[in-house]
Amino acid sequence: MWFRVRDRQHAGGAAVDIRLILDAPKQFVTQLGEPLTGTIRWESDRSYPPLFQIGLHWRTEGWGKRDTGYGPSCAIEAAEPTGSARFSIDVPDNIASFTGELVQLMWTLYAFERYSRVEIEQPIVIGPEGRAIQLGKIGRAHV
């Protein structure tokens, strides 16, 4: 996974480039309960080092109330305005991505730089055997 963000308005006039590279053999897909590992790389023309939060966010869509929540995350305190660091996030073992006729649950991997308020995100599938669970069809009642 590779992201490039250049946001002068939110970054206080400074350019910020952020890249996330996952170790997973299949990008954007992971198993329940397995660690999600990778490298974050950044470049900034600011004089101070960035502070990152990398984590998982979920949301539901479909009929009824929409819901959101945050999963595990980790913090990266950079020592220099430009550099890279390894990260590891423990993927939950009990909340899989799923899709059905009425509702679906989707996960997103995000990286947030606290000083510039720049956030990048990428949808990711979390599930058994690295696939979203497909819910069965809902039958129609006959009166």
Side-chain angles (χ1 to χ4, degrees), residues 57-69 96-108 121 123 135:
H57 172 261
W58 61 267
R59 74 178 191 278
T60 60
E61 287 187 359
W63 289 59
K65 181 181 172 215
R66 293 184 184 202
D67 213 354
T68 63
S97 304
F98 63 81
T99 301
E101 277 188 53
L102 299 179
V103 67
Q104 62 183 343
L105 184 137
M106 297 162 292
W107 285 94
T108 301
E121 56 183 36
L135 301 178

Side-chain angles (χ1 to χ4, degrees), residues 24-127:
K26 290 177 73 178
Q27 295 289 313
F28 317 124
V29 177
T30 191
Q31 298 267 358
L32 286 165
E34 290 190 1
L36 184 63
T37 60
T39 302
I40 183 169
R41 293 187 180 148
W42 63 89
E43 293 178 24
S44 173
D45 58 8
R46 290 175 284 160
S47 60
Y48 53 90
L51 176 60
F52 294 102
Q53 186 78 24
I54 303 169
L56 296 170
H57 172 261
W58 61 267
R59 74 178 191 278
T60 60
E61 287 187 359
W63 289 59
K65 181 181 172 215
R66 293 184 184 202
D67 213 354
T68 63
Y70 285 90
S73 66
C74 66
I76 304 287
E77 288 190 53
E80 299 291 329
T82 298
S84 66
R86 299 283 302 155
F87 68 87
S88 179
I89 300 168
D90 293 328
V91 173
D93 62 0
N94 58 353
I95 306 175
S97 304
F98 63 81
T99 301
E101 277 188 53
L102 299 179
V103 67
Q104 62 183 343
L105 184 137
M106 297 162 292
W107 285 94
T108 301
L109 175 66
Y110 69 88
F112 177 71
E113 201 287 306
R114 290 186 180 175
Y115 301 123
S116 66
R117 315 282 305 163
V118 169
E119 183 173 8
I120 57 175
E121 56 183 36
Q122 171 65 43
I124 186 166
V125 174
I126 298 173

